[in-house]
């Protein structure tokens, strides 16, 4: 891919795993397994191209209302990839940061997630945020409550510091697959000026080439952050 302006922070809503499997007359779990494989493929390619931060929506707070059988399948995938097959995550070369309320997860999964965060804590070249039992409204509310408890008024910078993404620059580009055009409680505060890209493809079939197309599209956009930039400015 030729040199283009890349997002520093790319966020991914990996939607459509279940539908991809159902259309193939396979159980939803088959789609989630394919979704994880594609997460490695796409995150690896993004880092390879020079994106520094990738944030993936692996499990929303609202997803916890899904049938226990599906949740157990997802917890099983976390168990596998944060423990037995953690090399797949380690090979991405990034610092791994799990974001969300981990207390609702099985204890052994919490332990392996914390261990992997610690193991990669010294890595500085790139960062992979994995959002698990994450909800943006819940995050905003916990930040507000912390500010109140501290007896502080906040501004944008000090509010950012209370969010679960503290220290991470806002996403430049959010890609959602699965032919849905909404943010579904993902990074709502941080997404104020994110560029949005929606793909009709289901996540397991979103390819490296599709990622490159999204990045080229991002590079063509004029980001004005509410001001006047470029041609319009006299
Ligand atoms: C939404 O698609 C996606 C999820 C609920 C989970 C996505 C999670 C992964 C790909 C696994 C992450 C794993 C690790 C190890 C970090 P859906 O399957 O609900 O799609 P649907 O709308 O077609 O039902």
């Amino acid at each position: 891919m030729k040199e283009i302006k890349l997002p520093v922070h790319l966020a991914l809503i990996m939607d459509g795993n279940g539908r991809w499997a159902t259309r193939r007359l396979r159980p939803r779990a088959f789609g989630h397994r394919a979704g994880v494989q594609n997460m490695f493929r796409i995150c690896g390619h993004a880092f390879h191209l020079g994106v520094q931060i990738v944030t993936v929506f692996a499990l929303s707070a609202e997803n916890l209302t899904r049938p226990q059988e599906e949740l157990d399948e997802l917890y099983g995938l976390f168990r596998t990839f944060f423990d037995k097959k953690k090399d797949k995550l380690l090979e991405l070369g990034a610092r791994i940061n799990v974001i969300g309320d981990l207390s609702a997860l099985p204890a052994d999964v919490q332990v392996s997630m914390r261990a992997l965060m610690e193991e990669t804590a010294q890595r500085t070249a790139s960062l992979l945020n994995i959002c698990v039992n994450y909800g943006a409204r819940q995050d905003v509310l916990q930040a507000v409550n912390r500010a109140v408890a501290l007896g502080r008024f906040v501004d944008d910078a000090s509010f950012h510091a209370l969010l679960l993404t503290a220290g991470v620059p806002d996403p430049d580009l959010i890609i959602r697959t699965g032919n849905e055009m909404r943010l579904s409680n993902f990074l709502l505060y941080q997404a104020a000026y994110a560029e949005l890209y929606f793909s009709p493809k289901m996540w397991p079939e979103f390819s490296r080439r599709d990622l490159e197309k999204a990045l080229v599209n991002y590079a063509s956009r004029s980001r004005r952050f509410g001001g006047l930039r470029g041609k319009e400015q006299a």
Side-chain angles (χ1 to χ4, degrees), residues 14-20 28 32 35-36 39 57-59 63 66 70 74 77-78 81-82 130 203:
M14 309 179 290
D15 195 16
N17 304 293
R19 278 169 289 161
W20 177 84
R28 289 175 58 80
H32 288 126
V36 180
M39 183 192 80
F57 206 3
L59 191 70
N63 288 155
R66 289 191 179 189
E70 180 160 340
L74 287 164
L77 288 173
F78 295 148
F81 288 99
F82 281 88
I130 303 178
W203 175 252

Side-chain angles (χ1 to χ4, degrees), residues 5 28 56 81 83 92 99 101 130 144 169 174 181 187 191 195 210:
K5 186 173 164 32
R28 289 175 58 80
V56 295
F81 288 99
D83 189 15
L92 289 172
I99 290 178
D101 177 8
I130 303 178
V144 168
I174 300 179
M181 292 175 205
L187 301 176
E195 297 296 325
D210 292 321

Side-chain angles (χ1 to χ4, degrees), residues 19-27 30:
R19 278 169 289 161
W20 177 84
T22 306
R23 284 174 194 173
R24 280 160 183 75
L25 307 178
R26 303 295 295 266
F30 179 72

